[in-house]
Amino acid sequence: MALWPTWIIVLAAYVGTMIWTVGISFTPSKLVPEMVFAGGKQYERLFHASRWMNSVDNMLVFGVLFVVASLVLGTLMAIALDRKIALEGTIRTIYLYPYSLSFIVTGVVWRWMMDPTLGIQKTLNDLGWTSFRFDWVVDPDKAIYAVVLAAVWQSAGLVMALMLAGLRGVDPDLWKAIKVDGIPIWRGCVSIVLPTLRPIVVTAVVLLGLGVVKSFDLVVALTNGGPGMATDVPAKFIMDFLFLRSNIAFASAAATVMLVTVAIAIAPWIYVVYIRKR
């Protein structure tokens, strides 16, 4: 009984607001809510908006590159640390430190570093390497990769920590069997050890995937969606229409589409982890 007030607050704050958002998306609301049913006009308009489709494409490119690169880099760092190297604690802290920063801080730092007028490019140009270019944030063709680079730098440490914990839980006899059979360490890791860590890999993918959906602050701090719409993402699209253009219904329709997409994406994971086992 003591937990009932907490459950009521949770239901009102989360479930209630989600239902309200979905409901508003079926109205013609602009600056203020208008509880008049308008059918699916907002969704029809949404999927005919070139900016929305562009933001979805950017999110897909960013998401695939970010998740894959973070998994590969984090796993390689975990395997390296699992070899019981010297100064392991210090190196592990250095690897994990970027994850303690907010995406806003990460975006600002990387924006400074990739700014051609004051960052790495200017420093190396002043030292005599005049042909060096690192101006991704102002290049429409490379700006999305700048966002990926900054996001991987921050999140690879999380994957490293998860994978290292999994590797430390592997039965030592398995490693001995790999050595006795003469299997190369890299082949043993890829074919034998890593498949046993599938639950950890799935968890890492889910956490990274949620970061992709919430990639608003990093994009705003690093490129603000530019140059042009080269790095525009659905989260920024929603916030712009909600607060800058005062179109509540249109922004709610976009938010509802993202909610449904995320629900579909994590449903298999919830089924495998919580339902099938039970």
Side-chain angles (χ1 to χ4, degrees), residues 33-262:
E34 297 180 26
M35 305 313 293
V36 178
F37 184 71
K41 291 183 179 179
Q42 302 295 347
Y43 294 93
E44 182 180 356
R45 178 188 169 197
L46 179 67
F47 287 105
H48 283 86
S50 59
R51 182 184 171 185
W52 169 254
M53 302 309 297
N54 176 74
S55 68
V56 172
D57 290 341
N58 289 336
M59 185 186 69
L60 292 176
V61 173
F62 167 71
V64 171
L65 295 177
F66 167 59
V67 172
V68 172
S70 296
L71 283 176
V72 172
L73 183 59
T75 301
L76 291 177
M77 292 191 298
I79 292 174
L81 288 176
D82 194 46
R83 298 297 90 194
K84 304 295 192 302
I85 62 176
L87 301 176
E88 177 190 329
T90 301
I91 297 175
R92 185 171 63 242
T93 302
I94 293 173
Y95 284 165
L96 193 57
Y97 176 73
Y99 189 70
S100 66
L101 303 176
S102 69
F103 269 130
I104 291 292
V105 174
T106 298
V108 171
V109 170
W110 279 90
R111 185 183 64 192
W112 288 343
M113 289 196 297
M114 287 187 280
D115 190 324
T117 63
L118 53 85
I120 296 175
Q121 176 178 312
K122 184 177 186 304
T123 301
L124 293 180
N125 290 164
D126 292 342
L127 293 175
W129 191 359
T130 57
S131 62
F132 179 80
R133 290 292 179 268
F134 193 48
D135 55 353
W136 292 6
V137 292
V138 297
D139 187 339
D141 296 328
K142 298 179 181 178
I144 191 65
Y145 304 112
V147 180
V148 172
L149 181 60
V152 170
W153 176 81
Q154 180 174 22
S155 301
L158 171 66
V159 179
M160 180 273 298
L162 294 173
M163 297 302 294
L164 182 60
L167 289 172
R168 291 291 165 81
V170 174
D171 190 345
D173 291 338
L174 185 59
W175 291 111
K176 293 179 181 178
I178 292 174
K179 293 180 180 180
V180 169
D181 292 340
I183 301 175
I185 294 298
W186 70 269
R187 183 64 180 274
C189 287
V190 173
S191 302
I192 301 174
V193 176
L194 290 182
T196 65
L197 304 179
R198 185 170 56 182
I200 296 177
V201 174
V202 173
T203 299
V205 170
V206 171
L207 293 176
L208 295 173
L210 293 176
V212 172
V213 176
K214 299 185 299 182
S215 56
F216 168 77
D217 39 7
L218 177 62
V219 170
V220 170
L222 184 57
T223 63
N224 197 31
M229 295 190 298
T231 56
D232 197 19
V233 290
K236 187 177 186 302
F237 178 94
I238 294 169
M239 298 300 286
D240 284 352
F241 276 91
L242 186 62
F243 293 105
L244 298 182
R245 302 194 181 188
S246 301
N247 197 327
I248 298 177
F250 194 54
S252 297
T256 302
V257 171
M258 294 303 299
L259 174 64
V260 173
T261 303
V262 171

